[in-house]
Amino acid sequence: METAPDILLYAALGGILPALFWLWCWLHEDRHPEPRAVLLSVFLCGMVVVPLAGYLQKQIGSMIGASFWIVVAWAGIEEVLKYLAAYLPALDRKYFDEPVDAMIYLITAALGFSALENTLFIAGSMLHYTPIESLVTGNLRFIGASLLHVLTSGVVGAVIATEFYKGRYKREVATVIGLILSTGLHATFNFFIMDAKGTEVFRVFYGVWIAIILLLIVFSRIKRIAKPTLTKPLTQ
């Protein structure tokens, strides 16, 4: 039987290290790296909002009960909180100075969120299984959920990025549209995964992987968005 400190250590390693690896992969694609202190703040804020998400979901659940809308509401809560985790320390500050930053910061917040979420899940699983079993038995859903967090927050960032040079108002509208899209994707995943059995679970994950590949393509295109140049009118 593992002791409490051992459980916390294994859970932290299993939950945080994969998230940091994914973060390194995304940051490696950024031609103009963001300040490490800011990225760390966003990552930690993503972790901090996990308990808040759980609390709000519990409150909403008690008011709505089991229904279609509770799945949508729970997804929306997580998407908004991940956005706020990126907005407060980065997107509302001088560090947000090019379109691709929106995706970088939102994905960083998403990975922080999934890091703590997975840590808590692994810790709970280890109460009944060995460390290895808790990592490989029944945890595929949470691996898929981690990719989903990256996907949905990446979508929000991509939509904001397309409006980066079009003024604050259009960026705010883009944020709302992005959050609606991400909530829809998140809720759709939850609906499919709840009813999935056996190989159906893998099919859902395949869909998420394909979407991640598409997100990478979008990411590469957004990196090439150039600042509009002002042209002087022709003189007579």
Side-chain angles (χ1 to χ4, degrees), residues 89-186:
L91 295 181
D92 192 38
R93 300 179 182 273
K94 62 181 180 180
Y95 312 109
F96 183 28
D97 56 6
E98 59 179 344
V100 74
D101 290 352
M103 292 190 71
I104 290 292
Y105 287 130
L106 275 155
I107 288 172
T108 300
L111 287 169
F113 190 98
S114 66
L116 183 57
E117 190 176 59
N118 286 348
T119 296
L120 295 175
F121 175 80
I122 293 171
S125 178
M126 286 182 63
L127 295 175
H128 306 284
Y129 302 100
T130 66
I132 299 300
E133 289 174 334
S134 66
L135 291 174
V136 300
T137 305
N139 289 353
L140 288 176
R141 292 173 186 248
F142 273 76
I143 295 173
S146 297
L147 294 176
L148 179 73
H149 283 308
V150 170
L151 173 64
T152 55
S153 290
V155 166
V156 179
V159 176
I160 295 174
T162 59
E163 302 297 315
F164 181 80
Y165 292 117
K166 299 179 182 180
R168 188 176 185 87
Y169 173 74
K170 288 191 175 181
R171 286 204 302 269
E172 291 174 349
V173 172
T175 299
V176 174
I177 293 173
L179 288 172
I180 291 173
L181 289 174
S182 66
T183 298
L185 282 172
H186 196 148

